[in-house]
Amino acid sequence: MEQVVGSPKGWIDGDESAKEMLARVLTARPFLLLPPLHRVPLRVGNVVELVGPSPSSKTHVLIQAAVSCVLPKEWNGVHYGGSDHLVVFLDLDCRFDILRFSEMLKHRIIGESIGSMKIDSEKMDFDLWNNDKKRRPAYDEELYVLCMRRFLYARCYDSFEFLATLKTLHYRIQKEEEAHGTSVHMLMIDSIGAFHWIDRASTFMPVGGNNRKSHSLQTVSETVVQEIRKLLVLHPMLVIATKATILGDIYAMNDAKWNLRKPDTSNCRSGRITSQQLPYREYMPSIWQTFVTHRILLRASDDHLPVSNDQNHSLYFSEWLLPSLSFIDKFIVKEVFCFGTCRLASSLFHEVRRDLWCSLASHFLIFPIMPVSYYSVKITMTKGQQNFKILAISRGCSDGFLQAFNKSALLEHETEIE
Amino acid sequence: MAPLKALEQEYPIINSSFQNFCASRGIFSVEDLLLHDLYVLVAFAEQESDAERLKQGITQVLSIIDGQHQPWLNGMELLEDAHRNKHVLSSGCEGIDFLLQGGLRKGQLTELVGASSSGKTQLCLLAASNVAKEHMGSVVYLDTGNSFSPQRITHFICRHSDPAIDQAKHRILQKVMNSILCHSVFDIFTMFDVLNLLELNLRSQMQRGDCQVQLLIIDSVSSLITPILGGSGSQGRALMVSAGFLLKKLAHEHNLAVLVTNHTVGGEGGICKPALGESWKSIPHVRLLLSRDRGGSGVYSVSVLKHPSMAPGKASRFMIDD
């Protein structure tokens, strides 16, 4: 086709082909995140705030998003659907538990590699027992280590440490990006209001000149926002910050009254919150508030889901406040358990009869998260023994735990071993 | 943090001309520098006659700042630290150990919440005696209400041992008593003194490599904090949050399990809730609610209010022997 610059035809022809456009759009493609972050497409440069009382699964949502970010899109032919990037986590609350992160990561890796199979403890036990290599969840240690290394963590005990961390973060990110060959895609702050009271109380008159900036809530927030803005220019990232409602008795009080009046409907408590009345009291300075582009409110429910026979599920509500969406999401946080340990146990128990092992495995499943993966279990058993005992568990386990473990009814199996 | 003047000896690049340049922009300390935009500062430095030297000075200060935050760790390093240092200490109470999957975790702040006579102090004493006896560690016990009872500790230690072997019992008892360090603390400022001193001791012990303290107990932390709260001022809350961060820092850096107790207050609608309000909620890692069953059966209930890896609402029961 003839193309003449400046002719009307040339103008109609457009600037880029569909292929070029697709490539461009895909680089700035929104994150694919798990609920409750899935309602609105989030892109790098956005600042998301998760507001909620403590506990309301704020950190859980962060960890979930971090796991999605560090996982690769595909690995050894298995689709994980991650974004293959680094995550920076600034822990201002100093409560982060790496074991939880590790378990959730393992859970995702195993969950994906067994494909569409629903995670069903009974079935899993059976599969593990059968030693069926194909159906056995392939837990990839190499992938696990790769993902764990992509998670960068620093804690801060006060605002100055926070500022010092932010001021030098650019150099750190540069170093890590070179080492890993991929860029940082998320900056997480848990939680942004952690030093609120300390900063608020430390306002003093500056000594030594009128132009000296005093250390106050205002100046700290200004500097924090300024530093993050500068970082975002150099390293396009999605910022996710949690904020505990430290002043927020308003909602709790309304809630208690509400529950008292209508105890029967407490399951789906509270209607929509009107935009005039915020469900919590805002305490961050306006400079931070205007910096935030998306805001989600999280709340816990008093009720545990009736669907489960154990208490390992909790129900939470999430609601988008910015942009304001007209519905409330419910989501469940399950306690994850570790298949890696079941495998460990299965190798230890290969001589034990199946029903015995299954009962132990089901016991392991009741024990959530850390202890199982954390302890390596040493079990001695002799022929004809009436019941077995876990004799030694490696570091990190107390005698009291052992006693409790051995005493529990599930383990007291009167099974004859061949 | 250091005033720039104090840094001159160690770093000659921070000389008087650099200090004068900073002073003209209202910067006297590293702290002030943190609140300033360093890019803007570099832009101003370029207008000066000795721009190169000033910019070198700014780079130097930036590397000082880099040494002042906590170290960066990746997931594997964190996990290694957790496996190597963050063990679990048995509380001596099976119900609690079972609920918490082993007991009190080092590096974490565990809070026991409950009304009067719900077993808080008993659990503290039990945990202290158990850690001193079974884990060979020493225990720092901050007692705010004169409720520390050596008799009770003796009872807990001797309940399982054979009374026939009197001498061995006596030796164990003496060892346990020696490793529980009790401080009477009646206000939050004394608590800060004790904790700061403890931090200093632990740091010097760590350099010598013989860190022994494993458990820090404050019974009760709420009776120290409640008097300074109230009113609209933020000073009280600032002290409270600082105390929380100090405890968490001690717990993490020196691998201590920290156990504190908190009382309950009547909330909206007569429902009891933990004292110290919303701001304290985000301080502890683990919160357990204790209550005593009715009817004088001596059975206590405990339920999880908050846990980093457990759903709230899990419950267990236990007995404390008389």
Side-chain angles (χ1 to χ4, degrees):
Chain A
M1 196 180 285
E2 192 189 339
Q3 271 196 355
V4 186
V5 180
S7 77
K9 196 104 186 283
W11 185 74
I12 292 167
D13 276 345
D15 305 320
E16 58 185 350
S17 69
K19 195 181 166 191
E20 283 162 357
M21 182 177 168
L22 190 65
R24 179 170 60 82
V25 169
L26 282 181
T27 52
R29 134 190 106 101
F31 288 89
L32 292 170
L33 293 168
L34 292 166
L37 299 170
H38 64 303
R39 287 286 180 196
V40 172
L42 295 171
R43 293 182 164 80
V44 293
N46 289 157
V47 181
V48 184
E49 189 182 71
L50 301 170
V51 197
S54 177
S56 60
S57 80
K58 299 188 293 294
T59 307
H60 178 89
V61 173
L62 280 190
I63 296 178
Q64 193 83 266
V67 167
S68 300
C69 189
V70 295
L71 273 171
K73 193 155 191 279
E74 228 178 75
W75 180 265
N76 287 343
V78 181
H79 181 82
Y80 291 98
S83 47
D84 222 346
H85 284 285
L86 307 176
V87 171
V88 171
F89 192 103
L90 297 179
D91 190 11
L92 274 55
D93 267 344
C94 304
R95 278 192 287 110
F96 180 74
D97 185 4
I98 188 64
L99 298 169
R100 182 163 170 73
F101 179 85
S102 155
E103 289 312 316
M104 279 168 73
L105 177 63
K106 277 183 186 169
H107 192 249
R108 273 288 285 277
I109 291 176
I110 295 161
E112 299 299 340
S113 60
I114 56 174
S116 59
M117 195 174 110
K118 193 88 186 116
I119 297 153
D120 179 319
S121 55
E122 291 292 313
K123 219 169 174 179
M124 285 307 297
D125 292 349
F126 193 75
D127 283 357
L128 287 167
W129 179 254
N130 279 343
N131 259 350
D132 187 344
K133 286 250 158 62
K134 272 180 207 160
R135 289 164 68 200
R136 202 171 183 167
Y139 166 63
D140 194 330
E141 182 72 21
E142 195 191 337
L143 173 65
Y144 169 75
V145 173
L146 175 89
C147 292
M148 287 294 276
R149 291 229 163 94
R150 284 176 172 177
F151 181 77
L152 311 171
Y153 170 91
R155 49 169 59 207
C156 309
Y157 291 112
D158 57 47
S159 282
F160 287 118
E161 285 190 4
F162 182 37
L163 286 176
T165 310
L166 281 178
K167 273 206 154 47
T168 52
L169 187 54
H170 164 60
Y171 303 98
R172 186 74 205 182
I173 289 178
Q174 264 184 337
K175 243 166 79 181
E176 295 290 341
E177 286 184 348
E178 267 170 40
H180 286 88
T182 176
S183 59
V184 175
H185 237 176
M186 282 190 196
L187 171 65
M188 297 180 165
I189 301 168
D190 186 24
S191 64
I192 190 70
F195 310 124
H196 173 84
W197 290 114
I198 302 175
D199 290 339
R200 201 161 130 175
S202 73
T203 315
F204 56 87
M205 291 307 286
V207 188
N210 288 331
N211 59 348
R212 186 176 181 179
K213 274 193 194 176
S214 67
H215 167 214
S216 68
L217 194 59
Q218 189 63 28
T219 51
V220 168
S221 297
E222 269 169 21
T223 320
V224 165
V225 170
Q226 197 181 62
E227 293 296 330
I228 296 177
R229 273 219 176 97
K230 280 190 287 184
L231 265 175
L232 288 181
V233 173
L234 296 165
H235 308 276
M237 299 181 279
L238 173 68
V239 181
I240 310 180
T242 65
K243 185 173 78 177
T245 50
I246 56 173
L247 294 172
D249 265 312
I250 297 173
Y251 198 74
M253 265 158 32
N254 287 349
D255 223 55
K257 279 179 199 156
W258 207 89
N259 275 343
L260 273 178
R261 268 185 238 132
K262 303 174 194 170
D264 52 327
T265 45
S266 58
N267 200 6
C268 53
R269 74 184 193 198
S270 91
R272 277 268 308 140
I273 295 140
T274 54
S275 52
Q276 289 86 18
Q277 178 219 347
L278 272 178
Y280 62 94
R281 258 193 282 174
E282 183 61 63
Y283 59 90
M284 287 300 287
S286 58
I287 179 106
W288 171 263
Q289 288 182 49
T290 50
F291 185 51
V292 170
T293 59
H294 297 73
R295 185 172 288 128
I296 306 166
L297 176 73
L298 298 175
R299 274 178 293 132
S301 133
D302 299 332
D303 315 296
H304 297 282
L305 275 194
V307 293
S308 62
N309 45 8
D310 51 7
Q311 296 169 312
N312 296 354
H313 301 63
S314 343
L315 181 63
Y316 295 95
F317 298 107
S318 70
E319 183 182 344
W320 282 80
L321 298 179
L322 182 77
S324 179
L325 303 179
S326 58
F327 44 76
I328 298 172
D329 280 320
K330 286 183 192 175
F331 63 101
I332 303 163
V333 175
K334 274 192 197 177
E335 288 188 9
V336 291
F337 41 76
C338 177
F339 294 108
T341 322
C342 293
R343 287 209 309 144
L344 168 89
S346 79
S347 62
L348 284 166
F349 280 89
H350 62 282
E351 277 167 287
V352 187
R353 268 180 43 188
R354 186 191 141 193
D355 50 348
L356 194 65
W357 187 77
C358 272
S359 73
L360 187 80
S362 65
H363 192 84
F364 268 146
L365 299 184
I366 291 168
F367 271 83
I369 314 192
M370 31 29 98
V372 271
S373 62
Y374 192 40
Y375 310 130
S376 57
V377 186
K378 195 174 113 198
I379 295 148
T380 50
M381 246 186 264
T382 48
K383 259 187 186 177
Q385 199 173 335
Q386 286 291 295
N387 51 24
F388 60 86
K389 230 177 131 176
I390 295 180
L391 291 181
I393 290 188
S394 78
R395 57 192 179 208
C397 183
S398 61
D399 294 341
F401 176 73
L402 273 181
Q403 281 165 16
F405 199 100
N406 282 324
K407 262 192 191 163
S408 76
L410 269 164
L411 281 178
E412 282 165 11
H413 254 267
E414 306 248 325
T415 315
E416 206 180 283
I417 297 156
E418 293 140 36
Chain B
M1 283 188 192
L4 293 178
K5 243 187 261 173
L7 293 170
E8 193 177 346
Q9 279 204 321
E10 203 177 333
Y11 308 98
I13 194 82
I14 305 173
N15 55 12
S16 57
S17 77
F18 181 76
Q19 284 170 34
N20 285 339
F21 164 72
C22 287
S24 71
R25 315 236 54 87
I27 298 167
F28 298 93
S29 66
V30 179
E31 214 167 285
D32 290 340
L33 250 162
L34 281 174
L35 292 171
H36 272 81
D37 189 340
L38 292 184
Y39 292 82
V40 174
L41 204 64
V42 169
F44 278 118
E46 269 163 1
Q47 293 166 8
E48 302 285 322
S49 52
D50 51 348
E52 273 315 304
R53 273 191 65 83
L54 290 180
K55 277 199 276 186
Q56 277 173 24
I58 293 170
T59 316
Q60 179 62 58
V61 176
L62 196 65
S63 76
I64 296 170
I65 290 172
D66 200 22
Q68 273 172 353
H69 61 76
Q70 301 297 316
W72 282 98
L73 297 168
N74 69 36
M76 285 314 276
E77 290 160 340
L78 275 174
L79 197 66
E80 202 194 316
D81 173 62
H83 281 181
R84 193 190 297 152
N85 300 319
K86 305 291 188 277
H87 303 168
V88 179
L89 298 176
S90 166
S91 67
C93 167
E94 274 170 26
I96 300 253
D97 285 353
F98 199 71
L99 188 70
L100 294 181
Q101 306 159 355
L104 310 168
R105 179 168 293 274
K106 287 184 181 180
Q108 290 193 345
L109 178 56
T110 307
E111 185 187 54
L112 301 173
V113 183
S116 171
S117 86
S118 57
K120 302 189 297 284
T121 301
Q122 293 304 313
L123 278 178
C124 287
L125 293 171
L126 187 59
S129 60
N130 198 60
V131 168
K133 190 181 168 205
E134 305 292 333
H135 294 270
M136 310 294 169
S138 56
V139 178
V140 176
Y141 200 109
L142 269 59
D143 182 18
T144 68
N146 285 345
S147 52
F148 182 80
S149 156
Q151 290 83 6
R152 199 74 180 127
I153 301 243
T154 314
H155 173 80
F156 285 135
I157 293 160
C158 298
R159 62 181 168 162
H160 292 312
S161 50
D162 190 353
I165 321 161
D166 237 16
Q167 213 168 9
K169 196 173 84 178
H170 187 71
R171 218 177 44 240
I172 292 172
L173 193 62
Q174 209 159 33
K175 210 174 126 271
V176 168
M177 285 304 185
N178 275 334
S179 51
I180 299 176
L181 310 165
C182 184
H183 300 265
S184 282
V185 173
F186 298 111
D187 62 73
I188 195 163
F189 303 104
T190 321
M191 182 188 82
F192 273 113
D193 285 346
V194 172
L195 292 182
N196 285 326
L197 201 65
L198 176 68
E199 192 182 11
L200 219 65
N201 287 342
L202 286 172
R203 207 173 284 160
S204 63
Q205 268 177 23
M206 203 162 62
Q207 279 161 0
R208 293 203 307 270
D210 57 339
C211 186
Q212 286 285 307
V213 180
Q214 305 214 36
L215 178 64
L216 168 65
I217 296 175
I218 304 177
D219 181 31
S220 73
V221 79
S222 55
S223 68
L224 297 178
I225 293 172
T226 315
I228 56 159
L229 291 180
S232 56
S234 50
Q235 298 289 348
R237 287 191 181 88
L239 277 173
M240 173 175 82
V241 175
S242 307
F245 275 105
L246 182 57
L247 289 175
K248 281 194 275 191
K249 193 175 183 179
L250 277 170
H252 177 75
E253 291 186 352
H254 303 286
N255 304 314
L256 307 180
V258 180
L259 182 66
V260 301
T261 61
N262 187 359
H263 63 275
T264 54
V265 290
E268 193 75 16
I271 306 153
C272 277
K273 60 174 192 180
L276 302 182
E278 290 288 316
S279 307
W280 180 260
K281 263 189 181 176
S282 55
I283 301 286
H285 293 79
V286 180
R287 298 191 106 178
L288 299 176
L289 181 68
L290 299 175
S291 62
R292 188 179 198 151
D293 287 9
R294 278 182 207 146
S297 55
V299 180
Y300 297 85
S301 308
V302 54
S303 64
V304 175
L305 287 181
K306 175 190 169 111
H307 192 280
S309 55
M310 234 185 273
K314 279 197 154 189
S316 165
R317 295 159 93 81
F318 63 90
M319 283 179 85
I320 299 173
D321 31 61
D322 299 319

